[in-house]
């Protein structure tokens, strides 16, 4: 099964020419490894121009979306606007937005608006250090709460038809947080297995169909050196990459690792030129 490699550029880069250069390089890797689902999420300023650029051959996502279609909502961007700009995905509930006040209830409104407009949500969930230190049961309980609230009133058939992506992003693993270090593939896999169990019970999916029905990605300090380990795990449907997605050679290696893993090839640990 093809794996997802999603770039979250966050508030980078600061010029469109840099964004173009980056997208061009990522586009080359995406074209070379067509069995990998590559999605790039640039800031809004570059997103609409980029999504109309056929040259890069990429799919695009927004880093956020508002829940109303139009009106007096200064600074917001709606799902119909994204749809009309050929944007296919929208990140919802990223921990950096939650830190600015986004709640599960808001994430739920955003998801429903995205779904109504044919945009695939990428719902981010994940625990902080304190909850993590309490062990898997506490982590699962916390994430189950996030999932139940964020996916409230989303039906099982809508979930499956729209292909909602869940990104498990433990906050303590996100590279820009103090003392961050990546999760290890084994532990991430175990947590994602629990997330699938929660989703299966929410949407009445049998254990045999859990892995094919739900796409659950890992995110948090993924780079060219550790990507293969995460991508190799059958439980992990792909990776959401922040910092390393701004370095074309590094990100290209992550795409290659996803290709090799999907194509069942042995991944060679090539050295990256920094
Ligand atoms: P990181 O960011 O890869 O830089 O840790 C991931 C994210 O925040 O989505």
């Amino acid at each position: 099964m093809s794996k997802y490699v999603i770039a979250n550029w966050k508030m980078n880069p600061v010029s469109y020419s840099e964004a173009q250069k980056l997208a061009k390089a990522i586009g080359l890797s995406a074209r070379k490894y067509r069995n990998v689902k590559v999605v790039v999420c640039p800031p809004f300023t570059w997103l609409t121009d980029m999504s109309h650029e056929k040259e890069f051959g990429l799919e695009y996502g927004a880093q956020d979306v508002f829940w109303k279609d139009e009106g007096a909502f200064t600074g917001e961007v709606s799902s119909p606007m994204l749809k009309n700009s050929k944007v296919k995905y929208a990140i919802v509930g990223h921990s950096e937005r939650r830190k600015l006040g986004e709640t599960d209830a808001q994430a739920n409104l955003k998801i429903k608006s995205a779904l109504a407009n044919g945009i695939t949500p990428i719902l981010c969930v994940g625990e902080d250090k304190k909850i993590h230190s309490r062990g898997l049961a506490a982590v699962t309980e916390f994430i189950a709460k996030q999932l139940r609230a964020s996916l409230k009133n989303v039906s099982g058939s809508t979930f499956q038809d729209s292909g909602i992506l869940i990104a498990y992003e433990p906050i303590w693993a996100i590279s820009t947080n103090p003392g961050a270090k990546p999760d290890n593939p084994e532990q991430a896999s175990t947590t994602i297995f629990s997330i699938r169990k929660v989703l299966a019970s929410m949407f009445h999916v049998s254990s045999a169909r859990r892995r094919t029905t739900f796409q659950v990605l890992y995110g948090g300090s993924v780079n060219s050196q550790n990507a293969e380990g995460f991508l190799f795990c059958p439980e992990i449907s792909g990776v959401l990459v922040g910092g390393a997605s701004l370095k074309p050679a590094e990100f290209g290696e992550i795409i290659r690792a996803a290709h090799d893993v999907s194509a069942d090839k042995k991944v060679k640990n090539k050295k990256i030129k920094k």
Side-chain angles (χ1 to χ4, degrees):
M1 204 167 176
S2 300
K3 300 261 177 175
Y4 283 89
V5 176
I6 304 183
N8 176 10
W9 286 357
K10 308 193 179 183
M11 204 170 68
N12 302 289
V14 294
S15 74
Y16 189 54
S17 61
E18 285 173 87
Q20 278 178 306
K21 246 168 87 183
L22 205 48
K24 203 169 180 171
I26 295 174
L28 284 177
S29 299
R31 271 199 293 273
K32 194 165 164 194
Y33 303 116
R34 287 184 190 274
N35 64 338
V36 181
K37 293 173 189 151
V38 180
V39 179
V40 173
C41 304
F44 281 126
T45 40
W46 321 138
L47 176 63
T48 45
D49 278 345
M50 299 198 109
S51 60
H52 287 106
E53 285 259 18
K54 292 244 173 355
E55 189 200 335
F56 307 135
L58 290 165
E59 291 203 310
Y60 294 94
Q63 295 174 17
D64 190 20
V65 62
F66 195 57
W67 56 83
K68 293 279 189 185
D69 286 357
E70 59 187 319
F73 303 101
T74 304
E76 300 293 350
V77 173
S78 74
S79 297
M81 289 172 177
L82 295 180
K83 180 183 167 187
N84 292 333
S85 299
K86 303 192 186 324
V87 173
K88 298 212 169 133
Y89 297 84
I91 296 175
V92 173
H94 190 280
S95 56
E96 284 153 16
R97 296 223 54 88
R98 291 178 189 265
K99 213 160 132 188
L100 295 172
E102 182 160 327
T103 61
D104 288 330
Q106 289 172 342
N108 180 241
L109 292 171
K110 291 177 180 193
I111 285 173
K112 285 190 286 195
S113 162
L115 291 173
N117 288 283
I119 311 273
T120 302
I122 305 166
L123 170 63
C124 298
V125 294
E127 80 288 357
D128 63 14
K129 219 179 189 153
K130 205 167 144 200
I131 296 169
H132 182 70
S133 70
R134 292 192 213 133
L136 181 64
V139 169
T140 307
E141 190 190 325
F142 177 79
I143 295 174
K145 224 171 116 215
Q146 286 186 319
L147 290 170
R148 290 206 178 90
S150 308
L151 296 168
K152 196 172 164 193
N153 296 331
V154 174
S155 72
S157 58
T158 305
F159 190 102
Q160 289 184 41
D161 294 348
S162 63
I164 296 181
L165 303 177
I166 307 295
Y168 168 56
E169 294 211 309
I171 297 169
W172 48 269
I174 291 180
S175 67
T176 43
N177 289 335
K181 55 175 174 35
D183 202 347
N184 64 70
E186 204 176 301
Q187 185 173 244
S189 223
T190 305
T191 310
I192 288 177
F193 179 76
S194 306
I195 291 175
R196 278 184 208 282
K197 276 189 12 195
V198 172
L199 290 167
S201 90
M202 283 169 66
F203 295 109
H204 313 291
V205 168
S206 70
S207 55
R209 290 182 49 240
R210 261 192 321 237
R211 206 180 278 163
T212 47
T213 306
F214 305 115
Q215 306 293 317
V216 188
L217 286 65
Y218 167 76
S221 297
V222 173
N223 58 36
S224 62
Q225 301 301 308
N226 63 22
E228 178 211 340
F230 291 109
L231 290 161
F232 192 73
C233 300
E235 284 300 328
I236 302 181
S237 315
V239 286
L240 177 54
V241 186
S245 71
L246 297 165
K247 301 174 193 155
E250 183 89 9
F251 197 63
E253 282 299 298
I254 298 172
I255 296 172
R256 188 181 65 84
H259 159 81
D260 287 356
V261 162
S262 303
D264 232 349
K265 285 187 189 158
K266 183 131 183 52
V267 180
K268 285 179 250 112
N269 255 334
K270 279 199 345 202
K271 279 256 173 288
I272 311 289
K273 274 194 217 132
K274 294 265 154 106

